[in-house]
Each structure stands twice: as structure tokens, then as C-alpha cells.
Amino acid sequence: MASSDLTFVLGGARSGKSVHAEQLAASSGRKVTYIATARVADREFAARVAHHRERRPGTWKLVEAPVDLAAALAAADAPDGCVLIDCLTLWLANLLCPPDGDYDDEPTPDHHTAFGAFEAALAGARGQVIVVSNEIGLGVVPLGAETRHYVDELGRLNQRVAALCANVTMMVAGLPLVLKSSAASANTSADNRADT
């Protein structure tokens, strides 16, 4: 059964998904922990990260988890807290394409093992969790086996997370399209009880 405190926000590049997720976290009234999955590899990406950082309230705690997302979520989770994870897309890239650079963090696990551990941490969360991911499978079939593998694995990961979450929103041009809502489920259950 999906938890009403689990929210999944999907969208394409520059769809407004991160801003929407940040607004949800800010309106939660809880202490927010922001889990960033990005690895900064160049100047352009560093500017993107800085833009995200400037937008967030200074009171939010930051945790960087480019590989062990399950452990980061388990450590940040609290009944009165809100965890915002941004994003699964970069996390999967870190799992499938570990850097050759001078990163000295933990070894990269098999992505299927990492998926299972993250899914278990998400299912066991006691507080509010908001997860952000890209929807990249709406275009043509990409060229190259590696790219197709990445698109397929992200689609599978997104499906697993969406199944656990009671609230799923797709962002398009800055507009939220609700795909799944705990409020709608509660209203449907109340309507069904009224009919009996």
C-alpha cells in the first residue's frame, strides 16, 4: 500500500519539477533535509547546482548522496521531518557510469541492488519524503545500446517509485499534472462508504 507521505514529482528538463518539489517541502511545515545526488564534474554543472542552492532556504539541511541513497534516506528520515531527494536521474547515472576521476567515496554497487535498498528505505520511511526524477522516455528510441539501457532502467526505477508513492505529479511547462493523489483516494473511499 502506498504511503500518503510519499510524493513523486516527474518531468522533463526545465519542466519545473525541482521548484514544485521545493514548494511542497517548504509548505510541509517540517524540518527539511535536502538529499542531492549530483556529482559536479564541470563548471556548467557547478552553476546549475549553485542555482538550486540559492533557491533553497538556509535552514534546510543538505546531504550529498551520489551513490548510497538508501543509507542517506534512512539516516535523514524522521517522523516529524521532510526529506526531499533531487534527483533519481543523476543517481542512476552515478550507478551506471561511475566516474573515472578522483572521487574517493564508497564503491558503486550493482544498480539492481541499489534499487532494492532504496525501495526498502522509501517503503519504511516514517516522515514525509518527496522524490524528484526526470521522465526521459517520451521521445524516439535513442541511438546506442548504453543510452537505451539508461532510458530503460530509469523507466523501471520510476515505475517502482511511483508504485510506492500515494502522490505522483508530472510537471509540464511549469504546470503540475496530478497522476495519483492520496486526497483523491481518500475521497473515493469516503464516497464508497457513503454508497453502502
Side-chain angles (χ1 to χ4, degrees):
M1 180 175 179
S3 168
S4 61
D5 276 346
L6 300 181
T7 299
F8 194 28
V9 181
L10 292 155
R14 294 290 177 261
S15 62
K17 61 190 178 299
S18 292
V19 170
H20 182 72
E22 290 163 10
Q23 289 169 346
L24 291 174
S27 66
S28 72
R30 302 176 181 212
K31 291 181 182 177
V32 177
T33 300
Y34 184 98
I35 299 180
T37 62
R39 279 189 168 123
V40 179
D42 57 43
R43 197 175 298 163
E44 183 272 338
F45 201 81
R48 286 175 178 256
V49 170
H51 177 70
H52 275 245
R53 190 175 291 127
E54 290 166 7
R55 222 175 35 213
R56 296 193 302 263
T59 56
W60 289 8
K61 180 180 178 184
L62 172 65
V63 174
E64 295 183 1
V67 176
D68 198 350
L69 186 54
L73 173 56
D77 179 42
D80 60 345
C82 175
V83 176
L84 170 53
I85 299 169
D86 197 357
C87 70
L88 296 186
T89 318
L90 295 173
W91 178 57
L92 179 61
N94 294 335
L95 293 175
L96 294 182
C97 310
D100 296 328
D102 55 355
Y103 294 99
D104 53 349
D105 51 9
E106 69 275 13
T108 304
D110 170 74
H111 71 280
H112 295 292
T113 302
F115 283 10
F118 176 64
E119 194 172 10
L122 194 59
R126 299 165 298 151
Q128 181 176 2
V129 181
I130 302 164
V131 183
V132 178
S133 187
N134 284 67
E135 175 52 72
I136 63 172
L138 296 175
V140 298
V141 176
L143 294 174
E146 287 182 1
T147 306
R148 286 192 297 273
H149 177 62
Y150 179 82
V151 171
D152 288 348
E153 290 305 309
L154 183 61
R156 291 182 182 108
L157 175 60
N158 285 345
Q159 287 185 51
R160 289 170 75 162
V161 173
L164 285 173
C165 294
N167 305 293
V168 180
T169 299
M170 175 80 165
M171 297 299 296
V172 178
L175 301 173
L177 302 173
V178 176
L179 304 179
K180 186 176 173 184
S181 169
S182 60
S185 297
N187 290 340
T188 301
S189 296
D191 289 346
N192 290 341
R193 283 193 301 270
D195 290 342
T196 58

